């Protein structure tokens, strides 16, 4: 049997107190920077893709609080309509609607854009937030991560570009990831496999996801060039390592192993939405169009993430795959 003296008990309490303090400081650091803008968005219309959950929904809540008309563009109607009720309640606004959008279907993207152009007079901010982390194939026979994370958003942005120009000043925000650092674009692989990588192993899935996130950064880099003089600006970003359900398609064992780590060391969705909000509403960042952000600040990227030739080729290949060229 163990006996504790009062001195031992005090020492344990002291150690526990220090540990809690260190953890709290660490958690404050993990939460990262916050969007400081107090900009109101009354009279503005915003589209947020993949906004039925995670940082997309949290972003929508904040934009609704600022007075924007918020369109939740989601694949699943039941989840999308449930998210509308949550965003309306937490955002204190009834001006929140659901519109169906399946980024794994170019037909769905075109239908969504057609509906927007017919029914919405204004479009001020487009937030390309949706993403998947799993292998699969789109309706059009493309790799799922390439198709959803990049190509669907590429087509959506291009179809809505004229409306964004009409409503300028306007913004396009595309959520990428620091994992773009691990991406590389092999166009021969894309031509052969309709995806920038192959394989079902955990390592292969990680690499293919990273390739898709590099596409996001290069897309924004090239888009900014094409938007010069239009008063439409665009930004890509890393939201942080988020404790959200992006990894819902991992196997059960991986999710179990990740859960306690995520709870302790990952940002929650409210903290994870801050850089998206910064890029969407922060005043004075127009000159940084095309740049990559993290923790509400512009960041340097590797040469491959701002390669003019690769960005141009990705754009041209994407146009062909979407039927825009």
């Amino acid at each position: 049997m163990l006996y504790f003296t009062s001195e031992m008990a005090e020492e344990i309490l002291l150690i526990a107190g220090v540990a809690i303090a260190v953890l709290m400081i660490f958690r404050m650091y993990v939460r990262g920077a916050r969007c400081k803008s107090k900009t109101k968005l009354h009279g503005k219309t915003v589209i947020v893709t993949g906004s039925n959950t995670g940082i997309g929904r949290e972003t929508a809540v904040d934009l609704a609080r600022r007075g924007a008309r918020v369109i939740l563009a989601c694949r699943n109607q039941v989840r999308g309509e449930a998210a509308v009720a949550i965003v309306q309640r937490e955002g204190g606004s009834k001006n929140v609607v659901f519109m169906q959008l399946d980024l794994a279907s170019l037909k769905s993207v075109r239908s969504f854009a057609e509906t927007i152009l017919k029914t919405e007079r204004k479009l001020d901010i487009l937030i390309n937030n949706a993403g998947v982390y799993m292998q699969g194939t789109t309706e059009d026979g493309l790799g799922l991560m390439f198709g959803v994370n990049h190509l669907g958003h590429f087509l959506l942005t291009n179809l809505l570009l004229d409306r964004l120009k009409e409503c300028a000043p306007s913004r396009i925000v595309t959520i990428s990831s620091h994992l773009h650092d691990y991406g590389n674009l092999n166009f021969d692989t894309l031509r052969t496999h309709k995806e920038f990588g192959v394989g079902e192993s955990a390592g292969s899935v990680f690499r293919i996801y990273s390739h898709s996130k590099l596409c996001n950064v290069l897309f924004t880099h090239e888009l900014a060039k094409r938007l010069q003089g239009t008063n439409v600006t665009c930004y890509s970003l890393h939201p942080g390592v988020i404790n959200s359900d992006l990894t819902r398609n991992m196997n059960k064992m991986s999710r179990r192993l990740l859960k306690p780590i995520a709870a302790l060391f990952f940002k929650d969705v409210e903290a994870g939405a801050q850089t998206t909000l910064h890029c969407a509403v922060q005043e004075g960042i127009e000159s940084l169009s095309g740049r990559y952000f993290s923790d509400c600040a512009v960041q340097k990227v590797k040469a491959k993430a701002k390669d003019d030739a690769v960005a141009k080729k990705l754009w041209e290949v994407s146009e062909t795959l979407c039927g825009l060229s």
Side-chain angles (χ1 to χ4, degrees):
M1 185 177 291
L2 291 173
Y3 294 95
F4 290 95
T5 64
S6 58
E7 290 81 4
M8 289 170 64
E10 286 178 6
E11 190 171 335
I12 291 169
L13 285 171
L14 178 61
I15 293 170
V18 170
I20 291 168
V22 169
L23 181 59
M24 288 176 68
I25 292 168
F26 181 79
R27 287 290 292 162
M28 287 173 63
Y29 173 77
V30 165
R31 286 183 65 80
R34 300 185 63 80
C35 175
K36 297 178 181 177
S37 174
K38 303 299 182 185
T39 299
K40 295 298 182 184
L41 298 173
H42 299 288
K44 305 289 187 182
T45 299
V46 184
I47 295 172
V48 187
T49 70
S51 43
N52 63 297
T53 188
I55 62 173
R57 191 174 72 196
E58 193 64 35
T59 299
V61 168
D62 186 282
L63 297 170
R65 285 193 191 115
R66 294 172 186 266
R69 172 172 172 76
V70 183
I71 298 169
L72 308 186
C74 313
R75 179 179 59 86
N76 187 292
Q77 183 172 352
V78 173
R79 292 178 181 174
E81 290 175 349
V84 167
I86 294 170
V87 175
Q88 287 181 342
R89 183 179 70 249
E90 296 184 5
S93 169
K94 291 295 183 183
N95 203 5
V96 181
V97 297
F98 161 78
M99 291 192 187
Q100 195 159 31
L101 169 65
D102 182 359
L103 288 159
S105 164
L106 297 179
K107 180 181 177 181
S108 174
V109 175
R110 290 182 181 278
S111 176
F112 174 86
E114 184 180 350
T115 301
I116 289 291
L117 295 176
K118 284 181 179 177
T119 62
E120 299 293 328
R121 186 177 57 84
K122 289 177 62 63
L123 177 58
D124 303 277
I125 304 171
L126 170 62
I127 300 179
N128 295 320
N129 167 82
V132 295
Y133 187 99
M134 63 179 293
Q135 278 288 53
T137 306
T138 70
E139 181 180 285
D140 306 282
L142 301 163
L144 188 64
M145 285 187 275
F146 172 69
V148 172
N149 298 353
H150 167 65
L151 199 66
H153 283 129
F154 174 87
L155 177 59
L156 178 66
T157 302
N158 276 278
L159 293 176
L160 298 177
L161 213 45
D162 285 344
R163 182 58 49 84
L164 286 158
K165 289 176 182 177
E166 291 168 8
C167 298
S170 53
R171 295 187 183 185
I172 301 161
V173 180
T174 300
I175 283 65
S176 179
S177 166
H178 74 286
L179 295 181
H180 81 269
D181 275 349
Y182 302 96
N184 288 288
L185 304 189
N186 185 319
F187 289 96
D188 290 332
T189 301
L190 178 65
R191 185 166 52 250
T192 304
H193 299 285
K194 307 300 182 186
E195 176 60 278
F196 278 115
V198 294
E200 299 288 341
S201 69
S204 296
V205 174
F206 174 86
R207 285 188 291 273
I208 294 168
Y209 179 77
S210 300
H211 302 330
S212 75
K213 295 291 100 179
L214 178 58
C215 288
N216 296 150
V217 180
L218 287 168
F219 162 59
T220 300
H221 178 77
E222 177 68 15
L223 179 60
K225 290 183 175 184
R226 294 170 183 255
L227 289 174
Q228 287 179 4
T230 66
N231 213 11
V232 181
T233 54
C234 58
Y235 315 90
S236 64
L237 65 97
H238 169 54
V241 184
I242 311 300
N243 187 12
S244 73
D245 64 352
L246 178 65
T247 55
R248 62 189 175 276
N249 300 116
M250 286 182 171
N251 63 56
K252 190 177 291 186
M253 181 60 70
S254 296
R255 291 199 307 272
R256 283 179 177 174
L257 289 171
L258 195 59
K259 190 173 182 179
I261 299 170
L264 245 146
F265 301 114
F266 291 8
K267 288 182 178 180
D268 60 28
V269 292
E270 194 265 343
Q274 296 306 308
T275 303
T276 301
L277 293 166
H278 177 86
C279 291
V281 303
Q282 183 63 48
E283 307 89 339
I285 64 169
E286 290 78 11
S287 64
L288 298 173
S289 183
R291 299 289 299 278
Y292 171 78
F293 285 71
S294 179
D295 271 335
C296 298
V298 70
Q299 305 291 331
K300 292 181 179 179
V301 295
K302 293 180 179 178
K304 65 180 177 181
K306 53 182 179 181
D307 186 309
D308 291 340
V310 176
K312 185 172 185 288
K313 185 169 184 177
L314 175 64
W315 187 283
E316 291 169 349
V317 168
S318 299
E319 278 186 325
T320 300
L321 290 170
C322 288
L324 292 176
S325 59

